[in-house]
Amino acid sequence: MKQLLRSTAVWVWGVLMPQRPGALYDRQLVTLAFSLMMVGLVIVASASIPEGISLAGDPFLFVKRHATFLVMALGIAWFVLQVPMVRWQQYNGSMLLLAIIMLVLVLVAGRSVNGSVRWLPLGPFNLQPAEFAKLALFVYLAGYLVRRQHEVRERLIGFMKPLAVLFVLAILLLLQPDLGSVVVMFVTTLGMLFLAGARMMQFIGLILAGVGAVVTLIIAEPYRMRRVTSFLDPWADPFGSGYQLTQSLMAFGRGSWLGEGLGNSIQKLEYLPEAHTDFVFAILGEELGYLGVLAVLALQFFMAAKALRLGHACLQAQRLYEGYLAIGIGIWFSFQTFVNVGAASGMMPTKGLTLPLVSYGGSSLIIMSVAVSMLIRIDFELRQASAQARVREA
């Protein structure tokens, strides 16, 4: 039965998104990215109308901004696509240093929103250094795993060095505060180290230490503790600490199988806070229903699966840097999707993490687009290397 389901999924995927033989790049990956971007543009347009009217009397305020961010993201992604992967490997340390400087700078001159200092004001655009720091860490970590692969596998110090870098970034992020980004970085780093061959006992100790640290951070901050208690029973205080989650659950409930129809959400009418950002998935569920939710989750799943499969192919071809980076991006996308969807549906405490390529937010959209562009470049270089190898064999 399992084999039948797998074969059916592969057949459906091949019919819906055929891959041209001999193509220079992965067309399926490009199609997935554009599909998620278009879904995001439509849902943000729908979910942000009441907020735009309330703030500026313009129902299309946020969708115009999101469209601008999308154009910027595509332009930057096109530029990144021209950069050979060897350049990222060569300058990964400089990129990490820049991320640390930006995280320090945001604490000094950042903009405060809802009690958090996470944004650097750059004229009309607010830059969120945490998004850049995620990518910078994974680019650096991929380079470290190539340089120190034997040390990571055989010595504890090799395992601890990248964790020391993560600790520095985590401290700077927690001062903002931004626990969600720290958790994403921790899980992705853990996955990359595991695939690099680090010892199992080190992982067990690290997981226990990580869980203990998260529990301590939750207990230490009353607002985090309120989030956890409201997540466990949001209906105990539906107009207080559980308000956001109960409104999100009502959105999913109203959506049923086929949804209320695009634009017909009730919860976005000032009932559900952050309807076009962190909780855009709830509005999507209300307007497009269970089938719409499944479709978007399938797009996210195939995107992450593409990245992981590409990473595996690179490792098999001994292109270690590209392989580790692609796997890191795949874990990042999948885990951040899980956290965002889990928070909106009540499976996890609320965290301020966007739905990749869908939620409103310039920094997130641009950095995620850059990550996808890197995957396309990795795939392009792998295809070129494979084609050259076949020519030499012939």
Side-chain angles (χ1 to χ4, degrees), residues 369-384:
S369 300
V370 167
V372 172
S373 186
M374 285 181 169
L375 292 176
I376 297 171
R377 180 73 198 194
I378 291 170
D379 179 78
F380 168 74
E381 292 187 5
L382 179 63
R383 288 170 188 245
Q384 274 199 325

Side-chain angles (χ1 to χ4, degrees), residues 113-136:
V113 177
N114 296 329
S116 298
V117 185
R118 301 180 186 176
W119 294 267
L120 277 174
L122 301 175
F125 179 72
N126 291 318
L127 176 65
Q128 191 171 1
E131 297 296 334
F132 178 74
K134 293 175 192 173
L135 182 62

Side-chain angles (χ1 to χ4, degrees), residues 145-188:
L145 292 177
V146 173
R147 295 191 306 271
R148 305 288 184 180
Q149 188 175 50
H150 179 76
E151 192 175 337
V152 169
R153 293 178 177 179
E154 301 298 332
R155 300 179 59 192
L156 180 61
I157 187 66
F159 181 79
M160 296 304 295
K161 284 179 182 177
L163 297 181
V165 174
L166 175 63
F167 180 76
V168 172
L169 293 173
I171 292 297
L172 293 172
L173 286 167
L174 290 172
L175 291 174
Q176 295 183 7
D178 187 358
L179 180 59
S181 293
V182 173
V183 174
V184 169
M185 288 179 171
F186 176 77
V187 171
T188 306

Side-chain angles (χ1 to χ4, degrees), residues 72-87:
M72 291 173 59
L74 292 174
I76 295 171
W78 179 86
F79 173 77
V80 168
L81 198 58
Q82 315 308 313
V83 181
M85 293 310 300
V86 67
R87 293 287 176 260

Side-chain angles (χ1 to χ4, degrees), residues 204-371:
I204 295 174
L206 183 58
I207 291 171
L208 292 176
V211 171
V214 170
V215 171
T216 302
L217 289 169
I218 290 172
I219 295 174
E221 288 288 349
Y223 81 93
R224 291 188 186 127
M225 198 64 191
R226 283 195 300 271
R227 283 185 178 181
V228 172
T229 54
S230 64
F231 145 73
L232 293 173
D233 187 9
W235 302 102
D237 188 12
F239 298 104
S241 59
Y243 179 77
Q244 197 170 31
L245 181 53
T246 55
Q247 296 300 317
S248 179
L249 293 175
M250 282 190 276
F252 283 113
R254 293 189 74 253
S256 189
W257 282 93
L258 299 177
E260 294 291 312
L262 193 62
N264 293 328
S265 167
I266 297 297
Q267 298 307 115
K268 70 183 181 184
L269 302 177
E270 303 293 331
Y271 292 106
L272 177 60
E274 312 293 343
H276 59 295
T277 55
D278 299 345
F279 280 81
V280 71
F281 196 71
I283 302 302
L284 187 149
E286 184 180 5
E287 296 189 347
L288 302 183
Y290 182 66
L291 296 182
V293 164
L294 283 183
V296 173
L297 287 179
L299 291 174
Q300 295 283 7
F301 169 79
F302 283 122
M303 173 71 77
K306 273 282 185 185
L308 294 173
R309 186 174 180 180
L310 174 60
H312 176 71
C314 287
L315 294 178
Q316 292 289 97
Q318 293 303 305
R319 302 178 69 88
L320 300 182
Y321 179 76
E322 292 89 340
Y324 288 133
L325 181 56
I327 287 172
I329 292 173
I331 297 172
W332 171 23
F333 270 60
S334 55
F335 184 72
Q336 186 154 323
T337 298
F338 171 73
V339 172
N340 180 277
V341 173
S345 59
M347 295 188 296
M348 297 184 67
T350 18
K351 296 306 312 163
L353 291 173
T354 58
L355 186 61
L357 300 175
V358 176
S359 297
Y360 174 84
S363 298
S364 174
L365 183 60
I366 289 171
I367 294 299
M368 293 289 185
S369 300
V370 167

